[in-house]
Structures are given as structure tokens and as C-alpha cells.
């Protein structure tokens, strides 16, 4: 890749801290053709960084991903710095040292005395306030955040963080620099978690809440989010709990705690007792071979899913009125069920409801469903999640839920019908919003709040989340794909049934739902 050199306004970049991040950042800019000097208080770290980058360039050339000439140029762009003072001619210094406020502040205080007046100073902090880091310096207007993700060359997004006193031209120059490397530059106000680690709270936190409520097991929750969720066929690559195992709870749990506290106990970010206890027990994930799953030789151990029950006689089906009634009836018919079209259910029929944000028990009441159908006998009621396609050939998993009164023969009949094309079925305990509805609604809700608080533009929020977290869509586009009014119905019912303010509907989302506007629409 050849960088657009004209848009780079920096002549030499200094990098302080040559660990995992420092060397990745050095690689990115060296490949873009910008001279980079690497410093570390531990000289061995600089040597090891340069050696490992040498190996990286050789491998890239071998795989045909980098021309030999470009590799030569990248090698020539890199140099070790023996002291902080030798960064004097750098017009940008990026720090990637230990994540401690005192260390970063004192580094910037030292750097200010070394670099020229117009030099820009940037921090790669993930969790500290850039404003607080800049507060001790004489010229806070030239300090910004430049938040890279690991591994830097592969994670093609960088958050350019505007602290309280950062000057506009500094932000613009950093944006142009990032763009010239081919990475996506997104701009964020200095707030806890910036965009990506803030928007990413919904997925894991809501899954842990569902786990804590005893709605489903660990593998059931992961399978639902991997397989049931489908935005034009695309779901999440990893379930939320196996993702915790990958990042490790000793990293994730402190981030969950810290974001919750930094937003003054915002209930949307409320951490889970389960994760805190598992951290205390040392069940960290892959790196300890035991987390939410067990790992043998690095392979996740999974129990086989139980087979669908064998049901000799399938009762006829009656579908309660509601926005998804047509979809449910069509799917049931396509799966061979006899679906009755009467105004109310007959005496032996299996009754299907497809609630949004309600549990199956609440959905037995016409008033709760908001339709003019009858109240339903709970012992024959089974709920199906129809938020994503359920028709044969269009789905990889179906999710059902029973009331505490549902009789086993009706539960099994529904399971057998909806598994009859070989698509696996997950049967949940009764709870509002199934799993997928509540998790997706929380992702949209938090993304909308980030837009509402003007932390970043809607486009940058969606771009950052797609590139930084690998979600099938950004949170605001997810809301658009489902319909903002549908998301509001899910959240509103969750809020009403649980009384939990984490599900309250924010202004950004509510106004766009009311006006039929896209969630990407700016004010
Ligand atoms: N690792 C990640 O996934 C990730 C992602 C984004 C941001 N970050 C942030 O990047 C920074 C660095 O993280 P890392 O994972 O590369 O850490 P690391 O431990 O791999 O490397 C840190 C390096 O900084 C050096 N160092 C420490 N104090 C120093 C000082 N005062 N002056 C000069 N060198 C010093 C250490 O010797 C070490 O080589 C942290 O602020 C971290 O929060 C990390």
C-alpha cells in the first residue's frame, strides 16, 4: 500500500513505548513511508521491536503482500532512539507506554521541553481520560488521543480523540495522517471508552444479564447470537461469552467496572456478579484453559445439543394476532403444521405468540400484546422470536420460550414443528425480550446515546463499531434494519416489565422512531 504522502503533514514520528502497540504503530507509519523513531525506557524493547518488524516485513514480502522495494523503504523509515531527547526533531510523538495516568502525564511534561513548539503529542490510552493526561502540560491544545487497536496493521480503525482543550487543526492533521495509512479515522470526544469500547458494552453486558437471570445456558446464549441473528445473512462471528474467553476476564471485567463507574453508575453498563466471581476464581478464559468454556489444547469443549423431541401427534396451531403473526403462520405451515385461521383458539390447539420485549406469560394477555385478540390459556402457549427470519431456508436457528404453566406436550410439539427442517431450536425459560431482541436492542440503545451525546457522528459510530468490533452492522444501521419503532417496542416493554432503567428509551432513538427517520439522521 502506498500512502497518500501529500496529506501527511508530519515529517518524523516519535513513538514512546515499544511494546505490543508501539511496534504495531511503528509498522503502520513506516509502511506509509513516514520516518519513525522508537524509544523505550527498556532498550531491549526497542531492539526486540525492530527485530520483530524486520521479520514481519520479510514475511509480508514472502506472502506477496508487500513489494521488496516497499519493504526496503519501510525498514529504512525505522530507527531506534537512544533517549527521549533524541525525539527533538519529531513533529508528532505518540506514546504507547504503561496505562498509568501519572506515567503518561510526566512523560508529556518531559516531552514538552524537548520537542518543537508546533509538535503534536498523542496518547494511545484505552481507558484514561486524554483531558486528564493533558491537564498537567503547558500546551494542552496540541495534545490528542490516537487510539489504535491490536493488532494495529490489521485493525483498520483509529479513534482520533478530541480532549477538552485540543485545537481543531491538531485533530484535522491526525485524521489526515490516519487516512493516509489506509485506516479509517473516526473522531470522538474524550469520554470513557471513546466510541468502540463504549458501543461494545451492550453485547457482553446484556448477555451476562440474561445468564444471571437464568434464561439460558452459556452455549445456548452464544449459539443464539452466532446463529439466530441475521442481518442479510450476517450475524456475530463469536458469541458474547466465548468472546469474554478470548479477551480474558482479567481484561474485560475491569473495563466493564470502569466504564460503569466513569458514567456515574449508568444502569445500561451495570456489570455482572457472575463475571466478578469468575474473575475471582481465576476462570479467565482461553489463557487459563477454563472460562465460560473449557479448552483442551486450545480447542473449545462443547457439549452436543440435545436432539429435538420425538412427538407422535402434532396438535393444530393457532397464532395470536400481532405484527409477526403472518411470518409465524407462514413458517409453521411451511414446516407441515396445520394452522387454524379462527378468531380465537380451539380447545386443543398449540398457541403461538411472537412477542417483542415481552415474556411469554405477559404475551398471554391481549392488553399486554396491544391487540384485540383474546387472553390465552398459558398452559398451551409457546412464544417464538420472529425478529429475524424463521421461514425454512432462511434461518440457522429458531428460538422458542415457554411460560411457567406451559404443558410439556405443547412445548415438545412446538419444538418438534420448528425443528422439522433440521434447523436447531433453543428453548428458553420465560423472560422478556428472548436473548437476541434484548441484546440487539441494547446495542442500538447505547449507539443512539453515543450519537445523542455528540460523542461522535452517526457515520463514525457505525464505521468504528464495524471495523473495531466486527459486528455485521453498526449499531445505528442495525436499528434501521429492524426499524427504530420495533427497537423502541422491545425496549419499552423490557422497561415496563422489569422496571429496570437500563432499558429506558433515549431521546435520539425515540424521536427518530416517532418521525420515521433513520437513526443515522443527524439533528
Ligand atoms: N494491548 C492492547 O490491546 C492495547 C490496545 C489499545 C491501546 N493500548 C494502550 O497502549 C499502551 C501500551 O500498551 P501495550 O499493550 O503496548 O503495553 P506493553 O506492556 O506491551 O508495552 C509498553 C512498553 O512501554 C514501555 N514503557 C513503560 N513506561 C515507559 C516510560 N515511562 N517511557 C518509555 N517507555 C515506557 C515498557 O518498557 C514497554 O516496552 C497502553 O496505554 C495501553 O492501554 C493497548
Amino acid at each position: 500500500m502506498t500512502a497518500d504522502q501529500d496529506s501527511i503533514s508530519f515529517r518524523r514520528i516519535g513513538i514512546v513505548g515499544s511494546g505490543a502497540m508501539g511496534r504495531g504503530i511503528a509498522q503502520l507509519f513506516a509502511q506509509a513511508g513516514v520516518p519513525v523513531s522508537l524509544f523505550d525506557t527498556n532498550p531491549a524493547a526497542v531492539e526486540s521491536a525492530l527485530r520483530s518488524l524486520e521479520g514481519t516485513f520479510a514475511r509480508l514480502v514472502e506472502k506477496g503482500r508487500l513489494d521488496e522495494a516497499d519493504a526496503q523503504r519501510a525498514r529504512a523509515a525505522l530507527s531506534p532512539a537512544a533517549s527521549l531527547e533524541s525525539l527533538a526533531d519529531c513533529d508528532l510523538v505518540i506514546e504507547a507506554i504503561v496505562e498509568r495516568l501519572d506515567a503518561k502525564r510526566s512523560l508529556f511534561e518531559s516531552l514538552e521541553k524537548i520537542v518543537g513548539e508546533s509538535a503534536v503529542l498523542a496518547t494511545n490510552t484505552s481507558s484514561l481520560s486524554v483531558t486528564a493526561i493533558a491537564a498537567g502540560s503547558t500546551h494542552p491544545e496540541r495534545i490528542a488521543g490516537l487510539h489504535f487497536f491490536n493488532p494495529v496493521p490489521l485493525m483498520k480503525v483509529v479513534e482520533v480523540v478530541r480532549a477538552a482543550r485540543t485545537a481543531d487543526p491538531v485533530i484535522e492533521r491526525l485524521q489526515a495522517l490516519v487516512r493516509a495509512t489506509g485506516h479509517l479515522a473516526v473522531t470522538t470526544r474524550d469520554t470513557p471508552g471513546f466510541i468502540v469500547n463504549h458501543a461494545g458494552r451492550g453485547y457482553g453486558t446484556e448477555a451476562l444479564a440474561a445468564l444471571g437471570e437464568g434464561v439460558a445456558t452459556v452455549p445456548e446464549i452464544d449459539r443464539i447470537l452466532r446463529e439466530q441473528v441475521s442481518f442479510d445473512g450476517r450475524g456475530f462471528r463469536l458469541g458474547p461469552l466465548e468472546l469474554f474467553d478470548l479477551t480474558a476476564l482479567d481484561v474485560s471485567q475491569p473495563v466493564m467496572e470502569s466504564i460503569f463507574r466513569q458514567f456515574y453508575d449508568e444502569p445500561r453498563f451495570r456489570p455482572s456478579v457472575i463475571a466478578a466471581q469468575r474473575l475471582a476464581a481465576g476462570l479467565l478464559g482461553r489463557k487459563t484453559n477454563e472460562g465460560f468454556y473449557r479448552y483442551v489444547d486450545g480447542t473449545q469443549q462443547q457439549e452436543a445439543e440435545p436432539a429435538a423431541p420425538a412427538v407422535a401427534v402434532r396438535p393444530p396451531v393457532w397464532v395470536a394476532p400481532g405484527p409477526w403473526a403472518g411470518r409465524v403462520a407462514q413458517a409453521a405451515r411451511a414446516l407441515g403444521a396445520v394452522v387454524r385461521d379462527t378468531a380465537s383458539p380451539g380447545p386443543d390447539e398449540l398457541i403461538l405468540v411472537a412477542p417483542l420485549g415481552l415474556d411469554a406469560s405477559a404475551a398471554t394477555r391481549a392488553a399486554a400484546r396491544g391487540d384485540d385478540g383474546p387472553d390465552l390459556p398459558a398452559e398451551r402457549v409457546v412464544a417464538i422470536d420472529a425478529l429475524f427470519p424463521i421461514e425454512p431456508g432462511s434461518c440457522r436457528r429458531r428460538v422458542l420460550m415457554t411460560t411457567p404453566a406451559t404443558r410439556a406436550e405443547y412445548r415438545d410439539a412446538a419444538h418438534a414443528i420448528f425443528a422439522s427442517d433440521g434447523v436447531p431450536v433453543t428453548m428458553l425459560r420465560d423472560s422478556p425480550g428472548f436473548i437476541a431482541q434484548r441484546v440487539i436492542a441494547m446495542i442500538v440503545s447505547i449507539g443512539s446515546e453515543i450519537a445523542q451525546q455528540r460523542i461522535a457522528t452517526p457515520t463514525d459510530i457505525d464505521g468504528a463499531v464495524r471495523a473495531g468490533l466486527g459486528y455485521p452492522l453498526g449499531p445505528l444501521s442495525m436499528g434501521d434494519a429492524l426499524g427504530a419503532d420495533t427497537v423502541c417496542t422491545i425496549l419499552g416493554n423490557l422497561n415496563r416489565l422489569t422496571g429496570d432503567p437500563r432499558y429506558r428509551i433515549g431521546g435520539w432513538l425515540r424521536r427518530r422512531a416517532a418521525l420515521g427517520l433513520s437513526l443515522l439522521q443527524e439533528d
Side-chain angles (χ1 to χ4, degrees):
M1 185 226 28
T2 314
D4 174 6
Q5 296 282 343
D6 294 344
S7 59
I8 301 180
S9 66
F10 298 102
R11 283 171 298 106
R12 174 172 289 278
I13 298 177
I15 295 176
V16 182
S18 306
M21 295 305 289
R23 63 189 64 183
I25 299 167
Q27 181 188 338
L28 188 72
F29 291 125
Q31 282 187 239
V34 189
V36 176
S37 297
L38 275 166
F39 175 73
D40 200 294
T41 40
N42 172 14
V46 176
E47 271 169 47
S48 140
L50 292 174
R51 228 186 1 261
S52 101
L53 287 175
E54 184 65 39
T56 302
F57 296 140
R59 268 196 311 280
L60 289 174
V61 169
E62 218 173 270
K63 288 183 187 161
R65 303 234 295 270
L66 191 66
D67 286 348
E68 182 50 47
D70 287 341
Q72 281 298 354
R73 198 175 60 135
R75 281 187 202 104
L78 289 167
S79 61
S83 65
L84 210 53
E85 286 69 25
S86 52
L87 301 179
D89 63 343
C90 292
D91 45 9
L92 169 64
V93 179
I94 304 168
E95 73 77 18
I97 66 166
V98 59
E99 185 76 336
R100 272 196 359 239
L101 181 61
D102 58 339
K104 292 191 195 280
R105 281 177 80 152
S106 93
L107 171 65
F108 278 5
E109 280 163 34
S110 308
L111 280 169
E112 275 201 311
K113 298 185 191 113
I114 294 169
V115 296
E117 243 174 45
S118 61
V120 170
L121 303 179
T123 169
N124 183 43
T125 184
S126 298
S127 61
L128 301 172
S129 155
V130 180
T131 305
I133 293 172
S137 63
T138 323
H139 290 294
E141 67 281 2
R142 57 155 146 182
I143 296 182
L146 209 45
H147 184 224
F148 296 84
F149 295 82
N150 192 18
V152 178
L154 300 181
M155 297 294 293
K156 294 186 172 294
V157 57
V158 183
E159 294 177 320
V160 178
V161 186
R162 185 194 296 277
R165 290 176 183 272
T166 313
D168 285 344
V170 168
I171 296 294
E172 286 153 21
R173 290 177 70 194
L174 291 174
Q175 287 167 333
L177 172 71
V178 170
R179 275 190 226 114
T181 67
H183 275 31
L184 175 70
V186 291
T187 307
T188 166
R189 275 204 297 122
D190 180 28
T191 42
F194 309 132
I195 305 174
V196 172
N197 286 336
H198 185 171
R201 287 309 95 221
Y203 192 52
T205 309
E206 196 57 25
L208 283 169
L211 186 66
E213 290 161 28
V215 177
T217 65
V218 166
E220 283 171 341
I221 291 173
D222 280 346
R223 286 186 197 119
I224 287 172
L225 288 158
R226 263 197 331 259
E227 298 170 4
Q228 183 207 351
V229 172
S230 168
F231 291 98
D232 283 334
R234 284 173 302 145
F236 294 97
R237 286 199 290 259
L238 283 178
L241 303 166
E242 57 192 350
L243 185 59
F244 280 126
D245 275 1
L246 190 68
T247 47
L249 269 191
D250 57 340
V251 175
S252 310
Q253 177 64 15
V255 173
M256 289 191 277
E257 297 271 356
S258 144
I259 299 239
F260 176 61
R261 296 287 174 219
Q262 287 187 75
F263 279 109
Y264 299 107
D265 294 12
E266 163 57 57
R268 291 187 180 100
F269 307 133
R270 190 186 306 124
S272 151
V273 174
I274 294 181
Q277 287 197 339
R278 297 181 76 87
L279 170 60
L283 298 164
L284 305 186
R286 280 182 178 270
K287 72 181 181 193
T288 52
N289 290 324
E290 204 171 0
F292 287 105
Y293 298 86
R294 285 193 335 103
Y295 298 84
V296 176
D297 298 329
T299 305
Q300 188 187 89
Q301 305 297 295
Q302 280 262 7
E303 279 172 30
E305 261 187 283
V311 173
V313 184
R314 292 181 186 179
V317 170
W318 185 86
V319 181
W324 304 112
R327 174 177 262 187
V328 175
Q330 193 191 346
R333 275 202 186 93
L335 291 164
V338 174
V339 179
R340 296 266 158 81
D341 256 343
T342 48
S344 53
D348 301 315
E349 285 158 6
L350 162 65
I351 300 168
L352 295 175
V353 291
L356 280 174
L358 294 176
D359 58 20
S361 299
T364 63
R365 307 290 100 184
R369 291 196 309 272
D371 62 52
D372 53 5
D375 284 344
L376 304 169
E379 59 278 11
R380 288 190 281 131
V381 167
V382 174
I384 180 161
D385 188 356
L387 185 64
F388 295 103
I390 53 171
E391 294 82 1
S394 68
C395 60
R396 294 195 296 139
R397 176 166 299 275
R398 298 187 182 97
V399 180
L400 306 180
M401 190 160 72
T402 51
T403 79
T406 305
R407 295 214 311 258
E409 66 263 35
Y410 286 98
R411 177 198 64 207
D412 289 351
H415 191 154
I417 289 170
F418 284 106
S420 56
D421 58 350
V423 169
V425 165
T426 306
M427 187 67 72
L428 302 178
R429 295 210 182 89
D430 204 8
S431 64
F434 295 90
I435 298 285
Q437 288 185 12
R438 64 192 279 182
V439 170
I440 302 288
M442 281 306 286
I443 292 171
V444 177
S445 168
I446 291 169
S448 299
E449 283 305 293
I450 298 176
Q452 172 67 53
Q453 293 169 31
R454 306 302 190 271
I455 291 170
T457 64
T459 313
D460 275 2
I461 294 168
D462 272 13
V465 167
R466 286 197 65 175
L469 298 171
Y471 288 2
L473 290 177
L476 303 172
S477 300
M478 267 185 201
D480 279 353
L482 300 175
D485 52 345
T486 299
V487 178
C488 283
T489 303
I490 295 170
L491 288 170
N493 281 334
L494 277 160
N495 187 219
R496 202 160 46 78
L497 252 61
T498 63
D500 192 333
R502 70 197 272 116
Y503 301 114
R504 71 195 187 280
I505 302 167
W508 182 278
L509 179 58
R510 181 177 47 76
R511 282 187 284 275
R512 281 154 186 76
L515 301 177
L517 295 173
S518 161
L519 293 180
L520 291 157
Q521 170 87 41
E522 298 197 43
D523 288 339

